[in-house]
Amino acid sequence: MAEQAPSVAGSSDYKYEVIRDFFKSPDGEPFGLISRVAADDEDRIYVFQRRDPPVVVFDGKTGKHLASWGRGDVTDPHGLKIIGDTVYTTDRADSVAKSFTLDGKVKLALGTPGQHADTGKVENWLVERAAGPFNHPTEMILHPNGDLYVTDGYRNARVHRFAADGSLKTSWGAPGSDEGQFHLPHSIAYDDEGLLYVADRSNKRIQIFTPEGKFLSQWTGMGGPNDISRGKDGNWYIAEQEDSGDPAYCTVRDKEGNVLAKLASRHVHGIGVDSEGSIYAGMTVDRGVDKFVRVR
């Protein structure tokens, strides 16, 4: 745990003590760029970093290192979500999505390493045309209906839906800023009704879809969303980029999308939340994890 005294962020019912660099890299070397942070059901925190080993696991309460894995299985870590006993990841540059057991054994791999869908010319993450899976995918998640959903964003503009056996069922999305279009779909989550929430980063919005891909609504008024995670409290936790002179934020929204708290942060790329409502902010530039401890 960091030695410096924590600062305080937020207000009212959403007040947090901020502990910078809560976890320490177990091998004594600096962390790599941290793309994602996620908590499992035991409040173990999985840090997804761009160096070997790509997955480093810590005790969320004490900061103690518990395990490391993934060496040789992930070359360019990007998305990581945990559902039950499975870790869902995307390997951006290799255009592969893989699921793992909690201790790092590969369960399923989608895509062929190094083979990328043809989406034409790419300018500022906006592609010329959408295509099938994958071209630099950003996140994978298991839905309660048993299907897998993958956002395919850095050089594509789609969400792909796969059956549990890995067979492609459908895809939707096209490059642009209209409803149902994407400019870098970067993260995905779902609510209790099974609706999908897609972080459409360069359009600075969260789009909401049915499991079949029908556009329903959107949330705006945010910096580009790098990550969206749902807490056990039913609230949404969003990692927002710096925007129009505002800092990066860890933002808490309720089920309807109303802002409950905006916590100024260093540049945050991944956001996780434990069962107590504490937030873990993963940093690419600063290569660390800040913990926002919920104060009750």
Side-chain angles (χ1 to χ4, degrees), residues 134 172 198 226 249-250:
F134 297 117
W172 75 87
V198 178
N226 274 323
Y249 288 109
C250 295

Side-chain angles (χ1 to χ4, degrees), residues 61-163:
K61 291 183 173 61
T62 66
K64 178 183 177 181
H65 172 247
L66 301 175
S68 300
W69 51 263
R71 188 185 301 269
D73 289 318
V74 184
T75 61
D76 185 28
H78 195 272
L80 185 148
K81 286 282 192 282
I82 300 175
I83 307 295
D85 62 357
T86 303
V87 182
Y88 298 89
T89 73
T90 55
D91 188 330
R92 183 179 58 175
D94 252 3
S95 285
V96 171
K98 287 183 179 179
S99 63
F100 295 86
T101 61
L102 293 177
D103 59 358
K105 297 179 178 63
V106 177
K107 298 178 71 172
L108 179 69
L110 304 177
T112 302
Q115 290 190 12
H116 311 295
D118 181 7
T119 56
K121 189 176 182 179
V122 183
E123 292 187 3
N124 191 29
W125 314 123
L126 187 64
V127 299
E128 184 177 353
R129 56 182 174 270
F134 297 117
N135 197 338
H136 291 63
T138 51
E139 196 141 83
M140 174 167 63
I141 197 166
L142 175 70
H143 192 274
N145 63 19
D147 290 342
L148 298 161
Y149 291 81
V150 182
T151 48
D152 197 5
Y154 270 100
R155 296 182 185 176
N156 206 345
R158 309 219 86 179
V159 176
H160 308 292
R161 180 181 183 180
F162 296 86

Side-chain angles (χ1 to χ4, degrees), residues 10-292:
S11 61
S12 188
D13 292 334
Y14 289 87
K15 186 177 290 186
Y16 299 81
E17 290 184 350
V18 186
I19 308 174
R20 283 199 170 195
D21 299 314
F22 182 70
F23 300 123
K24 301 303 179 186
S25 181
D27 60 7
E29 297 295 324
F31 283 110
L33 275 70
I34 294 174
S35 184
R36 286 289 189 268
V37 185
D40 69 12
D41 289 340
E42 302 298 324
D43 282 343
R44 294 177 291 241
I45 308 301
Y46 295 65
V47 176
F48 208 28
Q49 63 168 347
R50 291 181 191 162
R51 78 169 179 88
D52 283 329
V55 180
V56 191
V57 188
F58 297 91
D59 184 301
K61 291 183 173 61
T62 66
K64 178 183 177 181
H65 172 247
L66 301 175
S68 300
W69 51 263
R71 188 185 301 269
D73 289 318
V74 184
T75 61
D76 185 28
H78 195 272
L80 185 148
K81 286 282 192 282
I82 300 175
I83 307 295
D85 62 357
T86 303
V87 182
Y88 298 89
T89 73
T90 55
D91 188 330
R92 183 179 58 175
D94 252 3
S95 285
V96 171
K98 287 183 179 179
S99 63
F100 295 86
T101 61
L102 293 177
D103 59 358
K105 297 179 178 63
V106 177
K107 298 178 71 172
L108 179 69
L110 304 177
T112 302
Q115 290 190 12
H116 311 295
D118 181 7
T119 56
K121 189 176 182 179
V122 183
E123 292 187 3
N124 191 29
W125 314 123
L126 187 64
V127 299
E128 184 177 353
R129 56 182 174 270
F134 297 117
N135 197 338
H136 291 63
T138 51
E139 196 141 83
M140 174 167 63
I141 197 166
L142 175 70
H143 192 274
N145 63 19
D147 290 342
L148 298 161
Y149 291 81
V150 182
T151 48
D152 197 5
Y154 270 100
R155 296 182 185 176
N156 206 345
R158 309 219 86 179
V159 176
H160 308 292
R161 180 181 183 180
F162 296 86
D165 64 1
S167 58
L168 180 65
K169 297 180 75 169
T170 189
S171 302
W172 75 87
S177 57
D178 290 341
E179 294 177 354
Q181 295 182 336
F182 298 113
H183 186 177
L184 214 178
H186 201 263
S187 179
I188 188 168
Y190 60 82
D191 65 14
D192 288 340
E193 286 70 48
L195 301 181
L196 294 164
Y197 293 66
V198 178
D200 187 11
R201 191 175 86 175
S202 291
N203 282 323
K204 301 178 185 179
R205 63 184 179 181
I206 304 291
Q207 295 198 69
I208 304 172
F209 299 90
T210 68
E212 292 70 39
K214 178 184 177 182
F215 173 85
L216 297 176
S217 61
Q218 62 184 2
W219 299 340
T220 57
M222 64 182 69
N226 274 323
D227 193 12
I228 180 168
S229 297
R230 190 159 185 262
K232 294 183 181 299
D233 55 8
N235 290 331
W236 297 98
Y237 295 80
I238 302 169
E240 295 185 27
Q241 293 182 325
E242 299 85 350
D243 183 55
S244 302
D246 289 332
Y249 288 109
C250 295
T251 301
V252 186
R253 292 185 179 230
D254 66 15
K255 296 176 182 179
E256 287 73 41
N258 302 303
V259 174
L260 301 174
K262 290 182 78 71
L263 312 172
S265 174
R266 297 189 283 175
H267 183 79
V268 52
H269 192 274
I271 189 167
V273 57
D274 65 20
S275 64
E276 297 179 346
S278 291
I279 298 167
Y280 301 81
M283 314 292 171
T284 51
V285 177
D286 293 289
R287 303 189 182 198
V289 178
D290 292 348
K291 182 176 182 179
F292 292 73

